[in-house]
Amino acid sequence: MLSPSSLILLLSNLLGCRVDAEDTPQTVSDAFKVRGSVEQIHVWAAEPDTEIELVDSSGELVASGTTDYQGSLILRELEPGVDFTVRLADDPSELTDMLEILDFEDSVPPQSFYEEQILEPGNGYITMRDGTQLAYYIYLPGPIDEGPYPTLVNYSGYTPSEPGASLGEAVEPYCDLYPILCDAPSFPTGIIGGLMGYAVVGVNMRGTGCSGGAYDYFEPLQITDGYDIIEAVAAQQWVKHNHVGMAGLSFPGISQLFVAQAQPPSLAAITPFSVIGDTMSSTLIPGGIFNEGFAEEWYDAVLSKAAPYGHDYIQEVVDAGDSVCEENQLLHSQMLNRIDLAKEHPFYDDELAKPIDPSAFADQIQVPIYLAGQWQDEQTGPHFPALFTKLENTPVKRFTVTNGVHIDGFSPQNLVEWKTFLDLYVSQEIPEIPKAFDIFAPLFMEAVYGTELSMPDGRFDDYATYGEALAAYEAEGELRVIFDSGAPEGVAPGAPEGTWEMRFESWPPPQAVAERWYLQPDGTLLSSPAAESGGSSSWEHDAQAGERISLASGSVDPLQPNWDWQAPQEGMALSFLTPPLEEDLVVVGHGSVDLYLMTEQTDADIEVSITEVTPDGDEILVQHGWLRASHRALREDATETRPVKTHRQEDIAPLTPGEWTLVRVEVMPFSHAFRAGSQLRLSIDTPGDNMARWRFDLLDLPEGTLNHVAHDAAYPSSLVLSVIPDIVIPTELPDCADLRGQPCREYAPIQNLE
């Protein structure tokens, strides 16, 4: 009779898959261990500074490298399908058995590979198709034999597989009723999902936590790993419908997009919060200007934690006897730093940028998606709607957007819709909010925001059947826009709850019209172009602006952050202001500032800002945009209100000194309700000052460099926004200090320099 391992090998060969059972991919010589992987080979347990050679079946040298201080080496970007052996360069007789480099597309294991893996509550390991073991933590809402349970997967390079822990003395009296309180996952959607009756599975990406392998930002192996995780989890007897959903905010939100593009058959739905639109041009190099703030800081932090024993709990786990975690640390030192690569290649390139650009592969996502984001997200930024129109093959899509900051995906106004979506597409039942979450949600909100917030009532309590609830949900518009988050009545000022909302059929809203205002020589914004002799205004490049941020200290998460949003300085910025609005003005969508620019240099860094100046003299930050003028070439899909750029090296075009050039600066998408009586202000200056955690690597220009903007009939610079016509705002103007993510200051007029 065939053993299980032999049976898997036989099935793999019959199906044309190059996948072995759990232990088979690891080949051991006396001097080192080696594993064939997807377009890679992994070597560990060698002596440090040992030269390793990869040789094909004919004896030809394919690749070579030197082991690091831990005796580890990963050779990447290898040709799949090659039979090879690994040997010591100094002692060719010390070699391994013949192995094979796996192919990214054709290495999917048979279903038995997943079904034979038994995953149990608590900590353990899932085996990937190349034999690498990834660490997991599983919480079930009840015993296995009382399942199956609807199930969520959280997948990231943070700490999702860290052992469970108590949430503190305040909740421990309730642990008998709700065990998750004293055995809580380390990721928020795990705690929330567990209290909502879901099984939750946290898995560390390869090269992080106790997982094997080495970290590399969304390399192909992270995608195949995600596929394997979904299929292995879904095969468990305790998983309802043998299909799973994915959940998470930020890193574990972005990872869902990458995994979903691989189309694992057992993935039911994804729910990404606070994510990027694309890695490069919207967050890492916005407008062609490198983000030395959050983008680089985040990557450095992830790399430091991906180093061997990067988290304190790893040593604790190893000391407790986890030999798998201990051995897995050996390859962690082979992680890659992609920030250095980005600095070397600052332009959009299909080979390098496209694989890490979710907007480029969003059309491959074929499961229902619920995505939520905030316009003033200080971390991943406001460019996430770049995904909305690209999700062409998603059967159901729902978007919730609002003003606010990164963490606000966890606000009750979003979580209630999240639970509704999960119940309909993962659990396949009538949505409801369990009593447990009603009880503990205020405590969690107190911990996150500093004030108690309750879950809103469910919208489907009165439906008799799942089918009726599903039909009603799918009849709704896909876009939900929440306005004035931070200013509701009856809760603490600054709490993440909106005062009113609108639903639209799609993004951008079909009702939206392009409304244009023209820059005037007297510093106003009017609906008609300036006169023939309108002239121009100028501002001086500010070499220090890129380092300035809008937060004096602390975090943006509290209800009243310690903002330090500086007013524009005369000579260093331009300001244009509409007359007081005669009617309410509701904007939902993209925008563009179309500038006729002239300078004596060959390039310029530009920031545009949209603010609301209220009748009582306050100024509220609404949205902004950035552009390095040499990156002004438009993509084919650019529109009147969205001047999206190519950012390709072949399209880079220096400015001609002394000549007027049309430069269209993209205003990042937003929604905002400008009340009648307020004025809309457009400011133009050097990038900086307006973001809480983004810093900009500016051009090195001569001191005193001036940028000129024309405003006359021949060169009519203008602002265009996406306006929803004929809307009467149902609530009063909020206190500007309360709006989430939108700092406020006293309005200070400036005189534009000619």
Side-chain angles (χ1 to χ4, degrees):
M1 174 178 274
L2 289 174
S3 68
S5 297
S6 300
L7 181 58
I8 290 176
L9 284 170
L10 176 59
L11 287 171
S12 298
N13 291 330
L14 289 173
L15 294 171
C17 300
R18 294 182 293 275
V19 179
D20 296 336
E22 243 176 75
D23 301 323
T24 308
Q26 177 177 313
T27 302
V28 183
S29 78
D30 292 337
F32 56 86
K33 297 180 181 179
V34 64
R35 172 170 60 226
S37 185
V38 178
E39 299 180 5
Q40 298 180 0
I41 65 126
H42 304 161
V43 177
W44 70 100
E47 290 295 321
D49 299 318
T50 299
E51 188 173 356
I52 300 292
E53 293 182 336
L54 177 65
V55 181
D56 65 19
S57 56
S58 66
E60 183 178 349
L61 181 65
V62 175
S64 64
T66 302
T67 60
D68 61 21
Y69 71 96
Q70 291 201 114
S72 299
L73 172 68
I74 292 182
L75 295 173
R76 296 176 166 90
E77 299 180 3
L78 301 174
E79 182 181 352
V82 175
D83 294 325
F84 67 91
T85 188
V86 179
R87 69 188 186 191
L88 299 181
D90 294 339
D91 184 6
S93 64
E94 189 64 58
L95 50 77
T96 67
D97 297 334
M98 195 66 69
L99 293 172
E100 189 173 21
I101 302 170
L102 305 178
D103 182 79
F104 178 68
E105 298 291 341
D106 300 327
S107 60
V108 178
Q111 184 61 25
S112 58
F113 177 77
Y114 304 116
E115 292 174 348
E116 292 194 356
Q117 297 194 51
I118 306 302
L119 312 181
E120 298 180 335
N123 289 101
Y125 293 90
I126 306 177
T127 301
M128 302 294 99
R129 65 188 64 184
D130 68 344
T132 298
Q133 292 187 305
L134 302 189
Y136 71 72
Y137 175 81
I138 293 174
Y139 173 83
L140 301 185
I144 289 177
D145 58 7
E146 292 183 10
Y149 304 102
T151 301
L152 300 177
V153 172
N154 180 286
Y155 174 52
S156 81
Y158 291 152
T159 59
S161 67
E162 182 176 359
S166 171
L167 292 177
E169 293 182 1
V171 297
E172 287 178 358
Y174 304 95
C175 287
D176 287 341
L177 286 174
Y178 305 109
I180 194 171
L181 300 175
C182 289
D183 190 21
S186 65
F187 50 102
T189 51
I191 300 170
I192 297 168
L195 284 171
M196 288 181 168
Y198 280 70
V200 291
V201 181
V203 183
N204 264 91
M205 289 176 171
R206 63 173 56 218
T208 68
C210 280
S211 291
Y215 180 77
D216 180 9
Y217 181 85
F218 287 115
E219 63 171 333
L221 266 171
Q222 283 188 7
I223 299 169
T224 59
D225 286 349
Y227 183 109
D228 292 347
I229 291 164
I230 296 301
E231 293 307 304
V233 172
Q236 304 306 304
Q237 63 169 317
W238 42 264
V239 174
K240 189 177 182 181
H241 308 303
N242 290 116
H243 281 72
V244 302
M246 296 189 76
L249 181 148
S250 195
F251 196 176
I254 298 166
S255 70
Q256 298 175 52
L257 304 171
F258 283 84
V259 173
Q261 69 161 316
Q263 300 174 9
S266 302
L267 182 61
I270 59 174
T271 57
F273 298 167
S274 303
V275 299
I276 57 175
D278 67 82
T279 298
M280 185 177 172
S281 58
S282 68
T283 305
L284 183 60
I285 314 178
I289 308 170
F290 190 80
N291 179 359
E292 293 184 312
F294 175 77
E296 186 165 13
E297 292 166 1
W298 176 84
Y299 202 92
D300 289 344
V302 170
L303 284 183
S304 69
K305 296 300 183 182
Y309 298 93
H311 292 281
D312 292 340
Y313 82 87
I314 298 174
Q315 187 65 61
E316 297 173 5
V317 168
V318 170
D319 291 344
D322 190 335
S323 59
V324 176
C325 181
E326 181 176 23
E327 183 168 4
N328 282 348
Q329 302 306 304
L330 294 177
L331 277 172
H332 283 207
S333 49
Q334 284 290 296
M335 60 189 174
L336 288 186
N337 188 338
R338 293 291 177 175
I339 286 289
D340 293 341
L341 186 64
K343 289 180 177 179
E344 295 169 5
H345 300 83
F347 308 107
Y348 194 98
D349 174 88
D350 284 349
E351 182 179 353
L352 296 176
K354 212 167 185 180
I356 56 172
D357 175 1
S359 67
F361 57 71
D363 61 344
Q364 299 174 41
I365 297 174
Q366 298 183 5
V367 294
I369 179 172
Y370 175 77
L371 189 154
Q374 295 71 236
W375 302 126
Q376 291 77 31
D377 191 315
E378 78 287 358
Q379 298 184 28
T380 50
H383 208 247
F384 55 88
L387 297 169
F388 291 178
T389 57
K390 302 293 186 179
L391 293 162
E392 301 170 356
N393 297 309
T394 304
V396 178
K397 46 190 175 183
R398 290 292 184 272
F399 311 121
T400 292
V401 297
T402 183
N403 63 292
V405 298
H406 191 68
I407 198 67
D408 288 355
F410 289 135
S411 64
Q413 64 187 358
N414 185 52
L415 290 180
V416 68
E417 289 297 300
W418 177 65
K419 177 60 162 57
T420 295
F421 182 86
L422 290 175
D423 284 352
L424 290 171
Y425 296 103
V426 178
S427 187
Q428 299 179 25
E429 61 186 10
I430 299 174
E432 66 172 344
I433 302 299
K435 182 179 179 180
F437 201 72
D438 270 340
I439 294 172
F440 294 107
L443 297 178
F444 296 147
M445 297 305 146
E446 173 76 34
V448 174
Y449 296 110
T451 189
E452 290 191 0
L453 297 171
S454 299
M455 289 291 290
D457 294 334
R459 297 189 291 118
F460 293 88
D461 294 343
D462 296 332
Y463 284 85
T465 69
Y466 165 69
E468 291 173 354
L470 181 65
Y473 184 82
E474 293 187 345
E476 297 177 345
E478 67 183 36
L479 176 66
R480 176 188 181 217
V481 181
I482 301 173
F483 292 91
D484 298 338
S485 185
E489 295 183 1
V491 297
E497 290 187 8
T499 63
W500 64 290
E501 63 181 64
M502 297 181 70
R503 284 189 181 267
F504 298 96
E505 180 182 339
S506 60
W507 175 275
Q511 304 94 316
V513 297
E515 187 163 338
R516 190 175 292 272
W517 295 265
Y518 292 88
L519 282 59
Q520 307 293 322
D522 62 354
T524 58
L525 281 173
L526 300 177
S527 58
S528 300
E532 186 173 343
S533 58
S536 64
S537 301
S538 62
W539 88 92
E540 182 179 339
H541 175 80
D542 186 347
Q544 284 73 49
E547 285 300 309
R548 296 196 296 266
I549 58 176
S550 60
L551 192 67
S553 61
S555 165
V556 298
D557 296 344
L559 303 190
Q560 301 292 336
N562 187 19
W563 295 117
D564 182 26
W565 182 40
Q566 296 296 308
Q569 299 300 305
E570 198 162 288
M572 308 303 286
L574 299 179
S575 172
F576 299 90
L577 198 67
T578 67
L581 299 172
E582 295 181 1
E583 299 177 344
D584 292 340
L585 179 73
V586 175
V587 178
V588 181
H590 302 276
S592 179
V593 178
D594 300 343
L595 301 177
Y596 286 92
L597 181 74
M598 182 172 67
T599 177
E600 293 305 314
Q601 308 302 321
T602 59
D603 213 343
D605 285 337
I606 308 165
E607 177 179 68
V608 298
S609 303
I610 306 298
T611 60
E612 179 180 5
V613 178
T614 67
D616 55 6
D618 289 326
E619 184 175 14
I620 307 166
L621 180 60
V622 176
Q623 195 53 287
H624 23 241
W626 310 271
L627 182 67
R628 181 157 289 168
S630 58
H631 285 246
R632 64 188 178 276
L634 300 176
R635 266 183 7 200
E636 290 183 356
D637 58 342
T639 67
E640 180 182 10
T641 55
R642 190 185 177 218
V644 61
K645 309 300 188 297
T646 69
H647 295 296
R648 294 183 181 275
Q649 186 169 13
E650 61 267 27
D651 294 332
I652 298 303
L655 298 170
T656 301
E659 291 188 6
W660 292 112
T661 302
L662 177 60
V663 176
R664 299 188 62 200
V665 185
E666 181 180 4
V667 179
M668 294 292 101
F670 70 95
S671 58
H672 187 78
F674 297 86
R675 266 71 175 190
S678 288
Q679 295 171 276
L680 186 154
R681 187 187 202 185
L682 167 65
S683 300
I684 307 168
D685 59 5
T686 308
D689 294 306
N690 290 330
M691 289 291 283
R693 295 190 63 181
W694 286 20
R695 293 179 170 87
F696 297 90
D697 183 14
L698 301 176
L699 292 166
D700 185 12
L701 298 175
E703 186 175 353
T705 292
L706 291 178
N707 299 308
H708 308 274
V709 173
H711 32 60
D712 62 16
Y715 302 107
S717 298
S718 61
L719 161 70
V720 60
L721 297 175
S722 300
V723 173
I724 309 298
D726 304 323
I727 301 297
V728 176
I729 300 171
T731 58
E732 297 296 321
L733 176 71
D735 185 334
C736 72
D738 295 344
L739 294 178
R740 293 289 294 172
Q742 297 183 248
C744 176
R745 65 192 177 200
E746 183 179 351
Y747 169 63
I750 61 171
Q751 182 69 38
N752 293 338
L753 300 184
E754 296 183 1

